[in-house]
Amino acid sequence: KMSLILHRIVMHKIDKTQHLTDAISTYRNEIYTNNKVLETLTISLAENYSKKTSKEYSNFRVGENTPPFKTILDDYLADTNDDIFLSFSRRATEQLSEKMNLKPASTGGFLVIVDYTNVHRFILIALVNKKEGYTEDNLDIFRIEQLNTDQLGMAGFINISNYLNDNIEYRPLSLMRGTREVSDYFSSFLGADSNIETSSHM
């Protein structure tokens, strides 16, 4: 079973109707206090992502066209405290909602952003939705809604260890390959360059 050190985690929400440009972000006011439930959630997201066979690896774009996401990531990494992480996560959510409005096929969801260490240090950004489930209490059955960590809408990892070491041999960005029209906006949001590999360099 995977183990990790959870540094910071928060979740925001983007509401968007498919084929419309009506994305609206709802923000949590503070990051979560780390606990076993959030650690298990992160492990579930990371493990389900690692099972995906269709992933791409790239670097951030460089030059005059510096990705806005890279700018806010650098701001956070320069001063890694809770307030800066919350600001980083909110700005990232707003940037993603703007990208969604440029892709009519996109839909919203819950954006989970995590800073954790498992051998390497990672930033995980995962867009998840809810699914219908069932629970019981004293043999009474109730319908519930729960976050669907098994089916990731969109997700990306930044290997912070490689990124900070400027290790050009290992591309720090890893993204899911989904439906091209949809996955392109997530790649654009993170600021991935076009020099993509499909073999693991994490």
Side-chain angles (χ1 to χ4, degrees), residues 2 12 21 32 45 60 75 106 114 136 166 173 186 195:
M2 177 182 176
H12 306 297
T21 56
Y32 298 111
L45 291 170
F60 288 110
D75 288 345
S106 66
V114 193
E136 69 80 31
D166 201 23
L173 286 177
F186 200 82
N195 189 8

Side-chain angles (χ1 to χ4, degrees), residues 24-75:
I24 297 175
S25 301
T26 305
Y27 302 109
R28 182 173 166 83
N29 292 326
E30 58 185 8
I31 69 172
Y32 298 111
T33 300
N34 293 354
N35 58 44
K36 199 67 180 177
V37 171
L38 296 172
E39 184 180 307
T40 303
L41 170 68
T42 303
I43 290 172
S44 177
L45 291 170
E47 286 185 338
N48 285 324
Y49 182 84
S50 69
K51 293 174 186 175
K52 302 290 183 184
T53 56
S54 55
K55 293 193 286 286
E56 296 176 342
Y57 302 87
S58 67
N59 293 300
F60 288 110
R61 293 193 309 271
V62 294
E64 295 180 5
N65 194 19
T66 301
F69 177 82
K70 182 179 183 298
T71 300
I72 63 171
L73 175 64
D74 288 344
D75 288 345

Side-chain angles (χ1 to χ4, degrees), residues 4-10 31 34 38-39 42 73 76-77 79-82 84-86 88-89 112-118 120-125 157-161 164:
L4 53 80
I5 300 170
L6 183 60
H7 303 303
R8 295 176 180 88
I9 178 171
V10 73
I31 69 172
N34 293 354
L38 296 172
E39 184 180 307
T42 303
L73 175 64
Y76 168 57
L77 296 177
D79 187 7
T80 52
N81 64 53
D82 292 353
I84 301 296
F85 179 77
L86 182 63
F88 157 68
S89 69
V112 183
I113 302 178
V114 193
D115 181 352
Y116 74 93
T117 296
N118 170 31
H120 293 275
R121 181 182 170 197
F122 293 96
I123 297 283
L124 158 64
I125 299 181
F157 278 74
I158 303 99
N159 186 322
I160 299 301
S161 301
L164 291 177

Side-chain angles (χ1 to χ4, degrees), residues 167-179:
N167 189 341
I168 59 174
E169 182 181 351
Y170 295 98
R171 301 168 192 272
L173 286 177
S174 170
L175 301 99
M176 287 169 48
R177 284 205 310 268
T179 304

Side-chain angles (χ1 to χ4, degrees), residues 6-24:
L6 183 60
H7 303 303
R8 295 176 180 88
I9 178 171
V10 73
M11 183 175 74
H12 306 297
K13 184 182 181 183
I14 302 174
D15 288 296
K16 182 184 176 297
T17 309
Q18 194 169 29
H19 305 306
L20 296 179
T21 56
D22 61 352
I24 297 175

Side-chain angles (χ1 to χ4, degrees), residues 4 11 23 43 74 88 90 101 103 118 120 122 128 134 137 147 155 172 178 180 184 197:
L4 53 80
M11 183 175 74
I43 290 172
D74 288 344
F88 157 68
R90 290 169 67 113
N101 277 334
K103 289 291 183 180
N118 170 31
H120 293 275
F122 293 96
V128 298
Y134 298 88
D137 181 21
L147 293 176
R180 179 52 56 193
D184 274 353
E197 288 191 359

